[in-house]
Amino acid sequence: MLRSDAPLTRKGKRQARALRDQMSKRPFEIIVVSPLSRTIQTATEIFGQSDVPKCLCHLMCERSMMPSDTGTPSSELISKHPHVSSWSGLCHLPEEYWPKVSGKKAAEKDVAERVEHFKTWLLARPETCMALVGHSAFFRTMTGQPKLGNCEAFWCELRANGDLVPCSPLPEMPASGDESDS
């Protein structure tokens, strides 16, 4: 049965935990997360112990074609996910931040518009290395790539003109105390 703001499944939690070591070694300056429960839980499984700041951004919500794509009202998010109280962006979320349920054509148009707003938002930020935790339809529209798998990492560069270019994975951060000159 589909339900509103579906939580991350056990399989999803295993997939996220499998990325934890790999992602913890990357030089992310911020982790940007869709405010739907399953993405909050994914980000928490992967980056929960990290000191990297986390930010909720409603522009990354999934297209709204299923009940599971309807979120939890922003006034209730802290009671459902207490740890997000320390994340930025919470105070900027509209009460109902998710798109209204619509047909496929309207949903795709909405996602395309939000992707453009999101790119502008990203380019205005001071950070240059970000992890984005969101949804497949949103990322498919943003990247022009086929559907990403659950917890699949896709490495790219967002250029100043708004073009998104695939690139190689980020190198790992040097171990603390490493005196290399590279």
Side-chain angles (χ1 to χ4, degrees), residues 32-97:
V32 183
V33 184
S34 161
L36 293 180
S37 285
R38 61 189 181 270
T39 46
I40 290 172
Q41 292 171 314
T42 299
T44 302
E45 289 291 337
I46 298 171
F47 301 106
Q49 300 303 315
S50 169
D51 292 335
V52 176
K54 283 113 186 139
C55 177
L56 294 170
C57 182
H58 71 283
L59 294 172
M60 295 176 65
C61 279
E62 181 66 286
R63 64 183 177 190
S64 199
M65 293 179 54
M66 306 290 286
S68 58
D69 300 332
T70 300
T72 297
S74 61
S75 61
E76 299 171 23
L77 269 179
I78 292 178
S79 63
K80 193 171 186 177
H81 306 286
H83 60 286
V84 303
S85 63
S86 65
W87 296 13
S88 65
L90 182 63
C91 65
H92 300 293
L93 287 180
E95 181 66 7
E96 292 186 4
Y97 50 82

Side-chain angles (χ1 to χ4, degrees), residues 12 15-16 18-19 22-23 42 46 131-136 139 143 145-155:
Q15 291 170 326
L19 280 178
Q22 175 191 0
M23 293 296 138
T42 299
I46 298 171
L132 309 178
V133 183
H135 307 279
S136 64
F139 288 135
T143 65
Q145 300 292 311
K147 180 179 177 176
L148 298 174
N150 286 345
C151 286
E152 181 179 350
F154 177 80
W155 304 94

Side-chain angles (χ1 to χ4, degrees), residues 29-30 44 84-86 88 94 99 102 111 114 117 123 129 147 169 173:
E29 298 169 74
I30 192 166
T44 302
V84 303
S85 63
S86 65
S88 65
S102 60
V111 170
R114 283 189 288 114
H117 291 297
L123 289 168
C129 187
K147 180 179 177 176
M173 292 187 293

